[in-house]
Amino acid sequence: MALEMRLPVARKPLSESLGRESKKHLVVPGDTITTDTGFMRGHGTYMGEEKLIASVAGSVERVNKLICVKALKTRYNGEVGDIVVGRITEVQQKRWKVETNSRLDSVLLLSSMNLPGGELRRRSAEDELAMRGFLQEGDLISAEVQAVFSDGAVSLHTRSLKYGKLGQGVLVQVSPSLVKRQKTHFHDLPCGASVILGNNGFIWVYPTPEHKEDDAGGFIANLEPVSLADREVISRLRNCIVSLATQRMMLYDTSILYCYEASLPHQIKDILKPEIMEEIVMETRQRLLEQEG
Amino acid sequence: MPGDHRRIRGPEESQPPQLYAAGEGEAPAPRDPARLRPAKGSAYLEAGGPKVLCAVLGPRQAEGGERGGCRARAGCEAPAALSGRLLCDFRRAPFSGRRRHVAPGGGEERELARALQESLEPVGRLGRYPRAQLEVSALLLGDGGSALAAPLTAAALALADACVEMYDLVVGCGLSRAPAPAPAWLLEPTLLEEERAAAGLTVALMPVLKQVAGLLGSGEGGPTESWAEAMRLGFEGCQRLYPVLQQCSVQAAHWRGASAPL
């Protein structure tokens, strides 16, 4: 196995390499943002001694009269209607606990899960006993947020045939703030793979299934061997997503596709090297700007 | 058998590097600004002697949370709205002191962990994280004076790095009083001065809000004015340290590309 090693080198700050001119107002907890009392306070601030003080480390955002501090790192905060990809951590009475990179564990109720074959009936005691047969600890699922509890915990549902247990593929974990909100989060990319962009920052890359109709409703995991060509496409996509996330670019189907095309001249394992990563992302950004007009 | 991840694998025989150093005076070492690692919620602080590494995990689901039946319905208030919990852990590396320290060191580590927790609780806005818990673990890599002040500051920086909501940064400052005949209070004592001291005090201050988060003192009594003077000295020390922390935190945010993504 060939390894590549490098000597340590001083890193450049990210904003320099991105060439951003606008200087953001960065604050630290305890910093005074303003002493003007005419502003409304948003997230990440609190009022103390007639001045507005920041309570998180981040950049100050101002929209008209509202001041909030956008934190650098966030956990996923659920919104109704979001698509999430999560991993089952526990099987409890009548519900599953799902880990979705948020502050509290998410919940998938047995009644929110569609039964095999799409039956509509009341869940009985036998269904409760057979729960582990549907989803076990460690399974990955795609689901939609049904409701959000008052303390921020999220309740999921898989009431459509497109949600359910995920089979073979690659999971990439990025920050939730990098996934762009779009109409649909399930994309079939023309390069030969499909991707699910979870709003919670979990991205699932998998080979495009040939047969679209799935009577089982997402229960049976497809364990047939994946061809080498498909696996190469998926690895390349995974490296592209990681490089986009490292350079703090928004992730959506167009940006991932452009990044994939920009990375074709390079070998798959070279994409993760810092210089090549910067080059590819720069090209992607260029194309996106051109496309916007 | 699961690996023992609480111990640090060090060599059986270890000597302190001071043995090999050419004899220098007791000059105070230059202060290194805190270096923040680009990892989730961590901070590394070197303050002359003491070297501390602090990591923050969370906010995560609190273990053993109450499972009320009403949780199944959306919009239901959690029974007795709980605020978040803070769990602190303090460890000493075996190579931190003059002699090899065997973990767990018994009472001292637990006492310092409790002191850490008491000082950090008023700082974090734990009411914003119901049913969640934050784990703060501090690892002392090199001893050199006040064992509580440096981990406190490092923990505050690590919490800021993890983007946990806080009211203010906490700055810790250690003091010690030399024994008679010259009972003067020394700010940020070295290990030697602390060993010979008659009394010691650690002050944790929130510089912007000017509130004391924690106070830990031990030693001989002495007149109350001397303790009051020590506290004032400690507050002054904290205020002087604060701009350094602020600058490092902002710099780390800048490095990580704090601007909004495209």
Side-chain angles (χ1 to χ4, degrees):
Chain A
M1 188 176 75
L3 282 176
E4 199 190 286
M5 289 170 65
R6 300 176 174 207
L7 291 171
V9 145
R11 268 187 325 147
K12 297 191 315 248
L14 200 58
S15 29
E16 256 177 48
S17 60
L18 296 173
R20 302 243 175 89
E21 294 91 24
S22 58
K23 278 279 180 199
K24 286 268 173 173
H25 182 197
L26 299 172
V27 286
V28 140
D31 270 0
T32 313
I33 304 175
T34 177
T35 43
D36 190 352
T37 48
F39 288 106
M40 291 192 293
R41 46 179 195 279
H43 290 297
T45 62
Y46 70 96
M47 202 65 146
E49 294 166 28
E50 295 177 17
K51 46 184 183 176
L52 207 58
I53 304 181
S55 69
V56 252
S59 54
V60 177
E61 313 254 313
R62 206 196 79 153
V63 180
N64 295 338
K65 282 281 186 180
L66 177 71
I67 290 195
C68 60
V69 180
K70 188 162 163 220
L72 296 171
K73 295 176 190 166
T74 43
R75 291 262 169 175
Y76 170 60
N77 291 316
E79 308 266 339
V80 178
D82 280 354
I83 313 283
V84 294
V85 171
R87 202 179 278 275
I88 309 284
T89 50
E90 262 184 74
V91 180
Q92 292 180 347
Q93 262 193 337
K94 289 207 186 106
R95 62 169 158 246
W96 287 274
K97 285 283 194 170
V98 184
E99 196 245 308
T100 51
N101 197 22
S102 49
R103 284 196 328 254
L104 302 171
D105 283 340
S106 311
V107 148
L108 174 64
L109 298 175
L110 177 59
S111 46
S112 312
M113 177 100 200
N114 49 345
L115 293 167
E119 298 172 54
L120 294 172
R121 59 174 168 80
R122 207 181 164 85
R123 309 292 187 273
S124 62
E126 282 121 24
D127 286 319
E128 222 181 297
L129 294 170
M131 273 175 80
R132 202 165 247 118
F134 300 153
L135 293 174
Q136 277 203 320
E137 285 92 338
D139 282 344
L140 272 173
I141 54 160
S142 66
E144 194 183 320
V145 175
Q146 184 180 41
V148 180
F149 295 118
S150 51
D151 50 14
V154 148
S155 173
L156 306 171
H157 77 90
T158 55
R159 286 285 203 159
S160 168
L161 290 176
K162 59 182 179 175
Y163 305 127
K165 186 152 75 168
L166 299 172
Q168 300 188 77
V170 172
L171 183 72
V172 188
Q173 294 181 358
V174 303
S175 166
S177 48
L178 293 176
V179 179
K180 188 167 177 179
R181 285 245 152 106
Q182 288 185 291
K183 277 221 195 95
T184 165
H185 289 255
F186 291 77
H187 302 286
D188 283 334
L189 298 174
C191 45
S194 302
V195 76
I196 303 181
L197 295 162
N199 284 97
N200 59 335
F202 285 11
I203 299 179
W204 180 250
V205 189
Y206 62 109
T208 314
E210 285 108 31
H211 310 289
K212 276 298 172 170
E213 299 89 34
D214 206 358
D215 287 352
F219 272 102
I220 298 177
N222 187 3
L223 292 174
E224 287 168 15
V226 181
S227 68
L228 182 63
D230 276 345
R231 275 184 276 149
E232 287 189 351
V233 168
I234 292 176
S235 322
R236 193 178 277 276
L237 269 175
R238 183 254 177 206
N239 283 356
C240 288
I241 294 177
V242 166
S243 42
L244 284 171
T246 319
Q247 300 280 325
R248 307 278 296 178
M249 284 214 51
M250 288 296 264
L251 292 164
Y252 50 108
D253 55 346
T254 322
S255 71
I256 297 178
L257 196 60
Y258 285 174
C259 194
Y260 179 85
E261 285 166 11
S263 75
L264 283 172
H266 305 278
Q267 280 207 323
I268 299 178
K269 55 187 184 206
D270 289 337
I271 302 177
L272 294 176
K273 292 187 191 155
E275 345 43 86
I276 301 189
M277 204 189 279
E278 272 179 38
E279 196 190 302
I280 296 177
V281 175
M282 195 89 71
E283 210 185 300
T284 314
R285 197 173 298 125
Q286 205 73 22
R287 274 185 76 178
L288 284 170
L289 284 172
E290 275 167 35
Q291 192 221 21
E292 275 165 38
Chain B
M1 192 174 104
D4 184 7
H5 54 87
R6 286 187 64 89
R7 284 177 220 243
I8 299 163
R9 285 163 210 241
E12 284 299 319
E13 293 249 322
S14 58
Q15 274 93 29
Q18 279 90 356
L19 280 180
Y20 304 96
E24 289 165 4
E26 294 287 323
R31 203 173 282 281
D32 273 348
R35 276 178 248 149
L36 294 171
R37 291 248 184 87
K40 318 199 272 189
S42 66
Y44 173 71
L45 178 74
E46 245 183 65
K51 303 184 202 346
V52 191
L53 180 64
C54 190
V56 169
L57 279 171
R60 288 201 298 208
Q61 174 97 26
E63 283 139 31
E66 286 154 37
R67 309 236 149 110
C70 74
R71 267 200 13 188
R73 275 181 281 124
C76 174
E77 285 289 335
L82 307 154
S83 69
R85 279 198 307 195
L86 192 69
L87 297 170
C88 289
D89 182 36
F90 183 85
R91 273 187 296 160
R92 251 184 216 271
F95 43 83
S96 57
R98 288 259 173 89
R99 271 175 297 170
R100 186 170 185 270
H101 168 84
V102 177
E108 195 217 354
E109 290 187 345
R110 251 175 296 153
E111 190 199 321
L112 288 173
R114 261 223 68 153
L116 211 66
Q117 186 183 348
E118 277 175 12
S119 309
L120 288 174
E121 260 174 14
V123 177
R125 291 182 84 183
L126 297 170
R128 304 272 295 174
Y129 302 109
R131 282 171 47 218
Q133 74 183 19
L134 286 161
E135 288 160 25
V136 178
S137 59
L139 177 63
L140 195 67
L141 296 168
D143 206 354
S146 37
L148 182 59
L152 248 174
T153 322
L157 285 170
L159 281 170
D161 189 40
C163 290
V164 170
E165 290 209 29
M166 304 198 287
Y167 287 112
D168 196 359
L169 287 177
V170 197
V171 188
C173 207
L175 300 118
S176 74
R177 190 177 72 206
W185 281 96
L186 301 163
L187 199 60
E188 297 281 334
T190 60
L191 195 58
L192 227 63
E193 288 166 348
E194 182 148 324
E195 277 171 7
R196 295 191 206 130
L201 181 70
T202 306
V203 172
L205 179 74
M206 291 200 268
V208 173
L209 300 174
K210 297 196 179 49
Q211 292 176 5
V212 177
L215 203 62
L216 187 67
S218 63
E220 288 175 10
T224 23
E225 296 82 42
S226 120
W227 286 98
E229 187 212 316
M231 277 176 51
R232 255 177 272 130
L233 204 61
F235 295 157
E236 213 182 278
C238 292
Q239 292 283 3
R240 273 195 278 167
L241 274 175
Y242 179 64
V244 179
L245 300 180
Q246 205 182 15
Q247 197 188 38
C248 287
S249 220
V250 171
Q251 219 172 37
H254 181 64
W255 275 82
R256 227 178 287 120
S259 3
L262 283 177

